[in-house]
Amino acid sequence: MSFAGVFDAIAARYGQVVTVAKDGVTLGSGRAVLRPMLDRKPQFVPTDLGLARVEETLCLGQAGLPFSEAAGVWTVTQGETVYAVVNLRPVRAGEERIYWRAVLRRREEGGS
């Protein structure tokens, strides 16, 4: 079994179905493991109007998800929750892409 096949088995067991969109156009869906990043950065950051909550999530998505490193506004939707993609990169073993690693920021209800 390839490395990507092993990750697909993990995603099938522990992942959720996500939908990937670029510039508002839905490109496809697949499975991804989503985990909050509570230890990396403060979840509350100062703004001009006081403290604002910023929820960041680590996304480990199947290699077949329709991501690319092309510029654009990428979003990931899981259920009713929409995330903006802050950082995206493929994780490889040699030439084989095993999975996509992304840092996601939860969007507010208004879509900001």
Side-chain angles (χ1 to χ4, degrees):
M1 181 180 281
S2 68
F3 289 119
V6 171
F7 182 79
D8 283 344
I10 293 168
R13 181 165 181 155
Y14 300 106
Q16 297 103 8
V17 175
V18 297
T19 303
V20 176
K22 179 183 177 202
D23 298 326
V25 177
T26 300
L27 300 177
S29 62
R31 296 189 75 79
V33 178
L34 303 174
R35 294 294 177 256
M37 296 174 51
L38 301 175
D39 62 336
R40 293 284 186 153
K41 293 182 180 178
Q43 293 291 301
F44 292 93
V45 294
T47 67
D48 292 341
L49 299 175
L51 291 177
R53 184 170 183 150
V54 176
E55 292 183 30
E56 288 193 343
T57 302
L58 177 64
C59 172
L60 305 178
Q62 291 179 307
L65 280 173
F67 281 122
S68 77
E69 296 178 88
V73 178
W74 290 90
T75 58
V76 173
T77 305
Q78 190 277 318
E80 297 294 317
T81 308
V82 178
Y83 299 94
V85 177
V86 175
N87 185 316
L88 173 68
R89 71 177 180 89
V91 176
R92 299 181 184 277
E95 293 298 314
E96 179 188 19
R97 183 173 58 225
I98 302 170
Y99 60 88
W100 288 98
R101 179 194 179 280
V103 175
L104 309 176
R105 183 169 293 147
R106 186 177 180 155
R107 286 190 169 178
E108 294 300 319
E109 298 299 321
S112 60

